Amino acid sequence: MKIKQGIKIIVDTGMFALLTLLMGEHLLPGKIHEWLGASVFALFVLHTVLNFKWYKNLFKGRYTAFRIAYTVITLLLLVVMLLCIISAVFISTTVFAFIKLNQAYFGRTLHLTTTAWVYMLSAVHIGLHWQRFMIIGKKVKLTSNTKRAIKWVICICIFSLCFYGVSVWINRAFYEELLFLTEFKYFDYNKTVIEYSWETITMAIAVATVTYYLRKIALWSKRKNNK
């Protein structure tokens, strides 16, 4: 079980890292972008296989408010990921060039929107699971003062990155892609792939952090109402 869990972490981390890189498509050669996208598809299939038990249990057990929210977000992520892959086939000139669908205009617009949703829902997904990493941190044997100091440093760093991520979101007008408000996006070609990817990650950190604290508030409210 531990081996399987380790494989899941590697697959999920690799998939998110590639998604982050792919968000800067304008800084990558077309062929590289397509092959990296195909790699994400392969990792997505592997992720689905490794988590097939979750799909089998969809109609089993009681649905709490958290389980409903988690299921809806997961299924939405599955749908937009499939749409993202389909739209990629429409506009492919390398990997899927042999499939001639002649829908480049529609595919480009759909790909722009679904890619944005895949990335944001992935960040929400991470935020919902962040408690697991918090539990691992609690198991580390350190003095209470040291743990408290580390906690404060991490909190300051995280919230600083969140504020920066929000500013990136605004500067990029990222809502345009999410709300299907634009057919073509004008990108900043003055940044390197590393700089652009780092900025993209800060947006994900902001979304994941908000998700984590919303979950925490919901659980606190539930415990308070049960008393």
Side-chain angles (χ1 to χ4, degrees):
M1 184 60 69
K2 288 184 178 180
I3 294 175
K4 185 178 180 180
Q5 196 62 34
I7 294 173
K8 282 184 178 181
I9 292 172
I10 292 171
V11 170
D12 293 351
T13 303
M15 187 159 54
F16 188 75
L18 288 178
L19 281 172
T20 300
L21 194 59
L22 287 167
M23 292 296 286
E25 61 166 316
H26 59 291
L27 299 173
L28 297 170
K31 290 183 178 180
I32 292 178
H33 181 83
E34 286 197 31
W35 282 112
L36 289 178
S39 299
V40 169
F41 173 61
L43 289 174
F44 172 69
V45 172
L46 183 55
H47 170 87
T48 303
V49 172
L50 290 171
N51 292 278
F52 187 70
K53 186 178 179 180
W54 181 84
Y55 292 96
K56 285 177 63 178
N57 295 329
L58 267 177
F59 301 102
K60 297 178 181 179
R62 187 172 68 90
Y63 268 82
T64 61
F66 173 75
R67 188 183 180 191
I68 291 171
Y70 178 80
T71 301
V72 169
I73 290 168
T74 302
L75 292 178
L76 279 175
L77 180 55
L78 173 66
V79 171
V80 293
M81 177 64 86
L82 291 174
L83 288 174
C84 185
I85 293 166
I86 291 170
S87 63
V89 174
F90 285 158
I91 59 178
S92 175
T93 58
T94 302
V95 180
F96 301 107
F98 61 93
I99 305 177
K100 298 179 181 180
L101 298 175
N102 298 320
Q103 293 291 336
Y105 179 79
F106 171 74
R108 172 64 185 172
T109 307
L110 180 63
H111 196 64
L112 189 66
T113 299
T114 53
T115 300
W117 275 107
V118 165
Y119 197 72
M120 288 297 100
L121 286 174
S122 295
V124 172
H125 199 66
I126 291 171
L128 290 174
H129 285 286
W130 197 252
Q131 187 63 30
R132 295 181 181 181
F133 298 98
M134 300 293 287
I135 293 172
I136 294 172
K138 290 178 181 179
K139 293 180 180 179
V140 178
K141 294 182 179 180
L142 294 170
T143 63
S144 58
N145 288 334
T146 303
K147 281 190 175 182
R148 193 178 296 111
I150 292 174
K151 182 180 179 180
W152 274 106
V153 170
I154 292 175
C155 284
I156 292 170
C157 290
I158 290 293
F159 282 106
S160 297
L161 290 173
C162 285
F163 283 115
Y164 185 70
V166 171
S167 70
V168 172
W169 179 299
I170 294 170
N171 290 333
R172 290 189 188 178
F174 199 67
Y175 59 89
E176 291 181 342
E177 293 149 79
L178 291 171
L179 300 178
F180 213 75
L181 297 177
T182 182
E183 297 175 355
F184 296 97
K185 196 77 174 180
Y186 295 97
F187 297 104
D188 184 359
Y189 288 86
N190 295 319
K191 297 183 185 297
T192 64
V193 174
I194 294 176
E195 288 173 330
Y196 196 86
S197 297
W198 170 248
E199 289 183 350
T200 303
I201 288 175
T202 61
M203 290 198 301
I205 290 173
V207 173
T209 302
V210 170
T211 303
Y212 169 74
Y213 279 102
L214 285 176
R215 178 179 181 271
K216 198 170 183 178
I217 291 169
L219 291 173
W220 172 80
S221 178
K222 182 181 178 182
R223 285 195 296 268
K224 186 178 180 181
N225 291 332
N226 290 337
K227 288 182 180 180

